[in-house]
């Protein structure tokens, strides 16, 4: 891999380590520590992800039109400010406001990082986005490994750790990312779509929207692990540190499982989505009947193999669909769809659990997870015949 990809990967890992001290515990903190309902916690997380969506779109647009470096400086600086403030005051009002700022700042950061990966290593294809994905989850593994134990001592330390790692991420961006704009300009790539023939942007964007419907459905279900399922594990007596260990399992399996992933060499990214989504279904079916930590751990392990197939495939297809000079917007759009799933998942899931029960929610999730099979099959039908294999 190019040095620039390694730099992106290392910085993403550090950023996510810090974030992983906070996001897995948001619902537990508001529900158990602050005494708020699951629906209220879901509402705050909805606002957080709403801010993330706005940040995704703005960050992606700024990448396309202005400077990747300047965009990252402002977005990471905003997240750092909010994290530092939160480490001193985390009662419900400042907690909610700072989560909005962190959501916006982080939202503006991610499409820039992914668009940079695609533009500085255009020949890397799926490998570039997979590197970002692995780095992301190495951060999840390391952060989640320690967050549960730190939180069991005091939640105050969770906010301090979050701020420290955000500060390290900001320093890396400040001192090492300035040359990324020049690399991006030299490598501004031609997409597979452009190489195959002239296609109206409308066709490509329509394909992206259809694909995104299935991506939204998957993230809606996945977000329950961070909200309603998290609270459910506490209700049935699973210790907080063991719940955090589920995310450590998730992250470490993603890193350790990369040699296994190399065995899968399907030509179309569609196949990765089909197989990965089938694995998601199996994972949620097992989680529905789980009542012990070991069962949730197995369910999480299964879920992890599903996401290893699906998550890198989506930005890869988005990158291939993007017309020249629009990769930032397309990555911002696909990131905003994921954020929309994370936004609506906790509040709607929380309402279902509050007014009915967790079992009904699981049945609804299993139904929702059939949607990606349909959207993946039809998203590119409006494109020219020669692009049927655009996602190779």
């Amino acid at each position: 891999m190019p040095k620039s990809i390694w730099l992106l990967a290392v910085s993403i890992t550090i950023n996510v380590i810090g974030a992983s001290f906070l996001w897995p515990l948001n619902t537990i903190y508001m529900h158990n520590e602050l005494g708020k309902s699951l629906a209220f916690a879901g509402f705050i997380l909805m606002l957080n992800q709403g801010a993330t969506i706005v940040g995704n779109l703005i960050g992606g647009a700024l990448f396309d039109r202005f400077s990747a470096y300047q965009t990252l400086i402002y977005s990471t600086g905003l997240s750092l400010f909010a994290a530092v403030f939160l480490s001193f005051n985390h009662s419900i009002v400042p907690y909610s406001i700072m989560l909005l700022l962190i959501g916006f700042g982080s939202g503006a950061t991610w499409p820039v990082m992914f668009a940079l990966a695609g533009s500085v290593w255009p020949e890397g294809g799926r490998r570039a986005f997979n590197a970002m994905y692995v780095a992301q989850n190495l951060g999840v593994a390391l952060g989640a490994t320690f967050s549960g134990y730190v939180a069991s001592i005091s939640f105050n330390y969770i906010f301090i750790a979050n701020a420290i790692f955000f500060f390290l991420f900001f320093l890396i961006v400040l001192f090492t990312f300035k040359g990324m704009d020049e690399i991006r300009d030299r490598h501004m790539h031609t997409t597979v779509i452009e190489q195959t023939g002239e296609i109206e942007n409308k066709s490509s964007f329509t394909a992206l929207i259809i694909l995104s419907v299935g991506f939204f459905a998957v993230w809606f279900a996945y977000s329950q692990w961070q909200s309603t399922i998290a609270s459910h594990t506490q209700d049935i007596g699973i210790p907080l540190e063991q719940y955090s260990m589920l995310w450590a399992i998730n992250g470490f399996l993603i890193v350790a499982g990369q040699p296994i992933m190399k065995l899968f060499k399907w030509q179309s990214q569609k196949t990765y989505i089909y197989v990965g989504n089938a694995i998601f279904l199996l994972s949620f079916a097992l989680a529905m009947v789980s009542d012990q930590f070991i069962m949730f751990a197995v369910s999480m392990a299964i879920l992890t193999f599903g996401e290893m197939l699906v998550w890198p495939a989506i930005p890869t297809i988005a990158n291939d669909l993007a017309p020249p000079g629009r990769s930032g917007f397309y990555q911002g759009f696909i990131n905003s769809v994921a954020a929309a799933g994370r936004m609506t998942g906790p509040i709607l899931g929380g309402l279902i659990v509050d007014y009915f029960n967790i079992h009904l929610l699981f049945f609804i999730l299993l139904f929702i997870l059939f949607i990606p099979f349909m959207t993946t099959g039809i998203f590119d039908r409006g494109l020219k015949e020669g692009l049927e294999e655009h996602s190779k």
Side-chain angles (χ1 to χ4, degrees), residues 2 10-11 45 51 66 69 77 82 108 152 190 207 225 271 312 327 345 364 383:
V10 170
S11 60
L45 294 181
F66 301 106
Y69 175 72
S152 66
T190 302
W225 277 93
T271 307
S327 60
I364 293 174
L383 301 176

Side-chain angles (χ1 to χ4, degrees), residues 275-288:
V275 176
N277 198 64
I279 294 174
F280 279 141
L281 276 167
L282 176 61
S283 171
F284 278 92
L286 178 59
M288 182 170 61

Side-chain angles (χ1 to χ4, degrees), residues 199-211:
I199 288 184
E200 294 183 0
N201 292 354
K202 183 179 179 181
S203 299
S204 299
F205 191 61
T206 299
L208 184 71
I209 291 174
I210 296 172
L211 180 72

